Amino acid sequence: MQGDDGRIALDLMDETAFARLSGDGKTLVLRMAGTDGGEGQWLDQLVLPASSPFAHGGGCVCCTPDGAIAAMLADLFRARVTGQRPWFARVIVVVPAALREGTRQALEANRVVAARYRPVWLSMTNTPAH
């Protein structure tokens, strides 16, 4: 599911929207801690680390959920390129509905994420945003 620009498709959805999907064997799924596992043929489902109020004074970009997501996306890209992870064409980030908009804005503003991932936000608009 790569676009013409070569970046990896990135979608963001809540548990309800994710539950309606079936796996395609090429999509990596990142989930917030505490969300259900979900069925299907997903390439892998990884749990995002919980944010910590103690690291770096709490509330910094590194410690907020969107910061953890950006860091994990960077690690996943590096592992994909070096062959430490199977090749994936799409990443779905499953977050609670209340955090979705803020997470979307943070990911769109992150230059490292933007360089490697192409936001499609299908579950938010029903049509690709970019």
Side-chain angles (χ1 to χ4, degrees):
M1 205 167 165
Q2 282 187 306
D4 296 335
D5 64 3
R7 294 181 294 164
I8 301 162
L10 176 64
D11 201 0
L12 186 68
M13 60 184 64
D14 63 26
E15 195 65 42
T16 303
F18 179 71
R20 289 181 288 216
L21 297 179
S22 59
D24 59 8
K26 298 181 234 172
T27 299
L28 252 169
V29 179
L30 305 182
R31 306 174 77 86
M32 298 291 283
T35 57
D36 296 332
E39 300 294 326
Q41 299 294 320
W42 302 105
L43 181 62
D44 199 358
Q45 292 194 44
L46 307 170
V47 177
L48 293 162
S51 59
S52 169
F54 304 109
H56 301 230
C60 70
V61 173
C62 301
C63 303
T64 57
D66 52 277
I69 294 168
M72 194 168 222
L73 288 171
D75 288 344
L76 287 171
F77 181 82
R78 188 173 21 262
R80 175 186 182 238
V81 169
T82 61
Q84 296 172 345
R85 238 186 206 285
W87 198 260
F88 53 91
R90 179 181 182 200
V91 175
I92 297 174
V93 181
V94 182
V95 297
L99 297 177
R100 191 173 51 197
E101 182 60 26
T103 301
R104 179 193 63 79
Q105 290 174 1
L107 291 175
E108 285 180 343
N110 186 297
R111 289 183 176 183
V112 174
V113 171
R116 297 173 177 150
Y117 295 90
R118 177 179 45 86
V120 291
W121 311 144
L122 294 174
S123 63
M124 297 179 80
T125 62
N126 295 324
T127 58
H130 299 282

